[in-house]
Amino acid sequence: MIAIIDYDAGNIRSVEKALRFLGQDVMITGDQEQILAADKVVLPGVGAFGDAMENIHRRGLFEVIRRVALRGTPFLGICLGLQLLFERSDEAPGVEGLGILEGEIVKIPEMEGMKIPHMGWNSLHLENNGRLYQGIAEQSHVYFVHSYYLRARDEGIVKASTEYGVHIHASVEKENVFACQFHPEKSSGTGLAILKNFVQLS
């Protein structure tokens, strides 16, 4: 069973639909025991960092998410879900993230000809032999929607990057914790292949 964590963030249903398409048993839940009992856990989301952390605390999910990620359960953060795994974000000064991974979320700088939010298809540069990217071609295109991006402290955990005026850490992996800034559930065949690699993890 894959648990998709419900903390009042958007985009949950499209993640559920993609995982069900791959033949998975999926449960959308904010229940602590159900999350802890799941075989795999997904933290999706679109929206604001500060609001999301407030919702996580209000629903009593902060320690549960940390426990399930740190005890070895395969865990996938998507878009805002990636950002929340880190320590802090320029979007919400003074608000602490989950702190499961080390790094910060910073605003994409204003540049002539570059629209913010970054919205659309970008190619991935694959690096460091990420398990989510087995069988995925270099420069495959995936779909992004974001105004803030990750700067991971340890570049060794970065498994895919992209360029949008700046160098963006687009996907990370550390032990059982995986995360994508882009939306695999909206990235056509490439995205489904990435999700399939996640659901096949043992």
Side-chain angles (χ1 to χ4, degrees):
M1 175 66 71
I2 299 177
I4 299 176
I5 297 176
D6 182 4
Y7 61 105
D8 297 330
N11 203 48
I12 288 177
R13 292 294 175 187
S14 59
V15 175
E16 177 194 26
K17 183 178 178 182
L19 290 171
R20 289 197 187 280
F21 179 83
L22 293 172
Q24 301 303 300
D25 291 327
V26 183
M27 168 176 52
I28 295 174
T29 182
D31 182 86
Q32 298 182 20
E33 295 306 317
Q34 289 180 336
I35 293 167
L36 290 168
D39 300 311
K40 296 180 175 68
V41 175
V42 179
L43 182 68
V46 294
F49 188 96
D51 292 343
M53 286 307 305
E54 181 180 341
N55 288 345
I56 284 170
H57 283 291
R58 179 172 50 81
R59 285 178 164 243
L61 294 173
F62 182 86
E63 289 301 331
V64 175
I65 294 171
R66 285 182 53 84
R67 272 180 66 192
V68 78
L70 295 174
R71 75 177 186 180
T73 301
F75 189 100
L76 175 63
I78 296 174
C79 194
L80 180 59
L82 169 142
Q83 298 182 6
L84 298 173
L85 292 172
F86 288 84
E87 297 163 304
R88 56 170 297 278
S89 173
D90 284 352
E91 188 177 18
V95 175
E96 291 187 6
L98 291 163
I100 293 166
L101 299 173
E102 296 182 340
E104 61 181 357
I105 309 302
V106 295
K107 187 166 178 55
I108 298 173
E110 301 275 354
M111 294 186 189
E112 188 174 348
M114 309 292 280
K115 292 183 178 179
I116 300 175
H118 169 208
M119 184 180 298
W121 296 81
N122 271 64
S123 60
L124 293 177
H125 168 58
L126 306 180
E127 47 200 292
N128 298 319
N129 197 31
R131 283 179 283 167
L132 293 189
Y133 300 95
Q134 300 305 303
I136 305 297
E138 171 70 9
Q139 299 298 311
S140 291
H141 282 72
V142 292
Y143 188 76
F144 289 83
V145 183
H146 63 126
S147 300
Y148 294 80
Y149 72 100
L150 165 65
R151 284 203 300 233
R153 188 168 301 169
D154 174 11
E155 295 206 7
I157 73 170
V158 178
K159 304 302 178 181
S161 58
T162 195
E163 305 293 329
Y164 191 75
V166 291
H167 184 66
I168 291 171
H169 293 161
S171 186
V172 295
E173 172 189 337
K174 184 177 182 182
E175 298 169 353
N176 61 298
V177 178
F178 303 80
C180 307
Q181 178 62 68
F182 58 89
H183 288 273
E185 77 284 0
K186 295 182 177 178
S187 296
S188 194
T190 295
L192 285 173
I194 291 167
L195 288 174
K196 186 175 181 180
N197 284 338
F198 175 71
V199 302
Q200 290 179 339
L201 292 170
S202 57

